[in-house]
Amino acid sequence: MSMPSGKIESRDWDEISQVVADAYFPHTLTPRTPVRTDGAFLRSTGEGPVRIARLGWGADVSIRSDHPGAYGVNIPVSGRLDSVVGGREVSSLPGTATVCPPDTDTRISRWAASCEIIGVRFDHEYLEREMHRILARPDRPLPSQVDLSAPAGTTWMRFVESLSDQMEGPNCLLQNDLVADQLLSAVTTAFVLAAVPDDPEHTEGAVAARPRIVKRVIDALHGDPAHRWTAGEMAEQAGVSVRRLQEGFRQYVGRSPTQYLNDIRLVRARDDLLAADPGDTVTAVALRWGFAHTGRFAATYRSRFGVSPSSALRTT
């Protein structure tokens, strides 16, 4: 996964604009000052249905884009972002995010030199599909602005910030395609839960259905625990929204679907470690059962079984 990282080594506006277009969105850039910039920078996750970019122009500019084929979520980290999205004015400061729908004219009349954003790009069909899975409703619209000071918004923002901070360096988890897919799927789920509020009109009858929907998901998780399950896929198995599924698991299982899945995986990993072949390693077993971070796997394994996974491997 190729990731543009850091300062853009050019003082030519056309070149700078093209670098940003390739990583985030095509656009029309208009400098508001004749001074050539040497302060533009970009960090990006590169290709894929979900992309994260951290961007600053280093000068006052204006931008116009219709965000072809994808949603853009622009989160000011510093400064103010005044946009006109489909004819509607939206002003965002740190703590809020502007949502730019696909194939819709968006104008940022003044993007100040002091304004830095984290931008998240969701391919249109991908986000619509995930919203259907997560919300169990295909017709819920996204708002033009998301409040990131509310609990769900704050959680999503911290997650995105942590990933944007990791877009540099050789140890970045986003360099691993398998891990990146899971992380960016989680970014999508957390965004939808932050952006679209609960719909009280669709809670009636949910309680009665929970034992059945919980059992359906439990059976699926036991059937294929090594699968890279997302919250949206679990909800799709149950035919309900992510929120309804989480509520059902809390009520009838006492933990979240993800915690339940991790318990299944830990037991499967222990079985493999105790019956390991000579060439097996703790890392290989951990990855086999969906644990991408071996350090966290070891800590969780010790907490659950009272011994380290390496000790279990040595007893075979």
Side-chain angles (χ1 to χ4, degrees):
M1 181 177 289
S2 174
M3 293 193 240
S5 179
K7 181 179 177 181
I8 300 175
E9 297 295 340
S10 175
R11 299 192 67 189
D12 181 274
W13 281 118
D14 289 338
E15 291 181 358
I16 294 169
S17 178
Q18 188 59 53
V19 170
V20 174
D22 291 342
Y24 193 38
F25 279 104
H27 58 269
T28 301
L29 170 69
T30 304
R32 294 173 57 88
T33 171
V35 177
R36 298 279 182 173
T37 183
D38 60 358
F41 73 92
L42 170 71
R43 297 203 304 268
S44 170
T45 55
E47 300 297 323
V50 183
R51 308 181 195 179
I52 300 174
R54 192 154 186 154
L55 169 65
W57 294 100
D60 287 3
V61 301
S62 62
I63 298 287
R64 189 162 192 160
S65 175
D66 59 3
H67 299 89
Y71 287 86
V73 182
N74 294 329
I75 312 160
V77 178
S78 61
R80 177 189 180 107
L81 202 64
D82 293 318
S83 307
V84 179
V85 183
R88 179 176 180 177
E89 295 184 3
V90 184
S91 295
S92 291
L93 294 165
T96 53
T98 299
V99 178
C100 306
D103 306 305
T104 302
D105 182 54
T106 297
R107 290 180 287 112
I108 303 174
S109 58
R110 182 173 181 266
W111 185 327
S114 61
C115 182
E116 174 188 339
I117 73 159
I118 297 176
V120 185
R121 171 187 168 129
F122 298 100
D123 282 1
H124 184 189
E125 291 185 2
Y126 174 83
L127 183 59
E128 296 282 347
R129 183 174 66 249
E130 291 303 298
M131 287 180 65
H132 191 181
R133 286 179 172 179
I134 294 162
L135 302 172
R137 291 277 308 281
D139 57 342
R140 300 293 299 279
L142 286 173
S144 58
Q145 190 175 66
V146 179
D147 181 5
L148 302 179
S149 64
T154 299
T155 298
W156 180 69
M157 180 60 191
R158 288 174 178 166
F159 187 19
V160 172
E161 279 187 312
S162 70
L163 292 178
S164 75
D165 290 340
Q166 291 185 53
M167 289 191 294
E168 292 182 301
N171 298 321
C172 174
L173 289 175
L174 292 170
Q175 295 280 12
N176 183 312
D177 287 342
L178 294 177
V179 177
D181 287 345
Q182 296 183 65
L183 289 175
L184 295 176
S185 175
V187 166
T188 307
T189 299
F191 169 71
V192 173
L193 295 177
V196 183
D198 276 317
D199 185 357
E201 294 182 2
H202 288 78
T203 60
E204 185 177 352
V207 172
R210 279 172 191 155
R212 174 176 50 81
I213 65 168
V214 168
K215 182 180 184 302
R216 189 180 300 162
V217 175
I218 285 175
D219 289 345
L221 298 183
H222 277 284
D224 191 6
H227 178 72
R228 289 179 286 139
W229 288 97
T230 67
E233 285 177 322
M234 294 184 204
E236 188 177 41
Q237 284 283 332
V240 297
S241 72
V242 169
R243 286 191 181 98
R244 302 292 172 265
L245 182 62
Q246 290 172 339
E247 290 168 3
F249 263 76
R250 280 196 296 268
Q251 181 172 353
Y252 291 98
V253 183
R255 70 196 99 163
S256 71
T258 300
Q259 289 170 328
Y260 188 88
L261 174 60
N262 282 337
D263 282 347
I264 299 173
R265 288 172 168 174
L266 281 170
V267 171
R268 298 292 180 92
R270 180 193 59 182
D271 291 345
D272 277 8
L273 289 168
L274 293 175
D277 293 327
D280 269 346
T281 65
V282 170
T283 298
V285 172
L287 291 174
R288 185 181 305 153
W289 293 109
F291 296 99
H293 193 293
T294 54
R296 291 197 193 101
F297 167 69
T300 306
Y301 188 98
R302 181 186 288 276
S303 176
R304 173 70 186 275
F305 300 117
V307 297
S308 68
S310 57
S311 296
L313 185 64
R314 285 197 297 269
T315 62
T316 60

